[in-house]
Amino acid sequence: MTPIDSLGDLWDRLLGAQPDPPPLLVLATALVALAVVSTRVPWRIGRNAITIAHEGGHALAALLTGRRLHGIRLHSDTSGLTLSAGRPTGPGMILTLLAGYVAPPLIGLAGAWILGGNRITLLLWVAVALLLAMLLMIRNAFGVVSLVITGGLVLGVSWYAPPQVQAAFAYTGVWFLLLGGVRPVLELQRLRARGRLPESDADQLAGLTPFPAFFWVLVFALVNLLTLLVGAALLAGPLLTDAGLTA
């Protein structure tokens, strides 16, 4: 870690661009994220990060639409709950419900855009700031522990790790958000088909709109797949550049 002797050094470190990552790092981190999403035990652990993003999406949408946010709960089974008050119908409630499943890949897309400018440290510090803001709204012990561990890990990497480790960590995290947003939608429909999620976001949206729950599952899936494609294109820039230079 480079010592920071002044506020100017801190600002330069935060906003400064890091060197282009090796194409192999971009590919390797994508494969690591795909492996975590595709395998049972790593997904069971990593899904907590997807839940944090999911509930954060609900919370942000509630605030932006003028609803009163009462709190967020994260559970050890990787489920979560965001409580807000306001009109039980209308655009605000619809957008709040819609935001959950699409939030992880959209956050990943924003991260991919930041990484496209090689602002790796900036991305990590933005993530820490968002986790701290969300921590203020957590209303259960497991949620507090989850946010503290996740935020502490990101802060530790951003502050102490060398640039190569920061890059690997940031790219893996963004790939995971992009890829990890797709699997929960598939799990949602599978559980709905078994009658195990009668109050899912999709079913609640069906109760507020003329469209059936399966329509909203398709909306989640299409948004997340499109976001994955756009985010992957942004992240794969070094790979495409390298291929063009060696062609």
Side-chain angles (χ1 to χ4, degrees):
M1 182 190 71
T2 303
I4 296 176
D5 299 321
S6 67
L7 184 60
D9 290 339
L10 180 63
W11 192 252
D12 290 341
R13 180 178 174 186
L14 178 61
L15 297 182
Q18 285 76 39
D20 289 334
L24 182 59
L25 181 144
V26 180
L27 178 60
T29 54
L31 293 176
V32 168
L34 180 60
V36 173
V37 172
S38 304
T39 50
R40 183 176 180 181
V41 174
W43 171 246
R44 177 65 177 75
I45 298 171
R47 201 185 193 286
N48 287 286
I50 299 297
T51 302
I52 290 172
H54 179 113
E55 299 304 329
H58 283 314
L60 179 60
L63 292 173
L64 291 177
T65 56
R67 298 180 63 82
R68 297 185 301 279
L69 185 60
H70 285 176
I72 302 169
R73 300 177 69 89
L74 304 174
H75 304 134
S76 59
D77 63 355
T78 72
S79 66
L81 178 65
T82 298
L83 298 173
S84 63
R87 287 185 58 194
T89 60
M93 190 64 201
I94 292 172
L95 290 173
T96 298
L97 289 168
L98 181 62
Y101 277 97
V102 301
L106 287 176
I107 295 171
L109 178 61
W113 178 74
I114 295 175
L115 288 180
N118 290 339
R119 263 62 177 192
I120 295 171
T121 302
L122 175 63
L123 171 66
L124 296 176
W125 286 24
V126 167
V128 171
L130 292 174
L131 290 168
L132 285 174
M134 188 172 175
L135 181 61
L136 299 176
M137 298 306 302
I138 294 294
R139 296 295 182 262
N140 68 322
F142 182 83
V144 171
V145 172
S146 295
L147 266 295
V148 169
I149 291 176
T150 304
L153 177 62
V154 178
L155 180 62
V157 170
S158 69
W159 195 259
Y160 295 106
Q164 298 88 343
V165 175
Q166 288 189 28
F169 183 84
Y171 271 85
T172 301
V174 170
W175 277 118
F176 179 69
L177 287 171
L178 290 169
L179 292 164
V182 177
R183 180 166 174 173
V185 179
L186 300 176
E187 294 174 342
L188 167 65
Q189 182 54 29
R190 185 167 63 248
L191 291 172
R192 286 191 63 258
R194 298 174 183 173
R196 295 175 57 185
L197 280 179
E199 296 297 324
S200 71
D201 293 351
D203 289 279
Q204 292 183 66
L205 283 165
L208 296 173
T209 67
F211 306 106
F214 185 66
F215 168 84
W216 292 108
V217 175
L218 289 179
V219 170
F220 297 155
L222 290 174
V223 170
N224 291 5
L225 287 172
L226 179 61
T227 305
L228 170 60
L229 291 175
V230 176
L234 291 172
L235 293 175
L239 288 172
L240 299 176
T241 301
D242 185 68
L245 291 174
T246 58

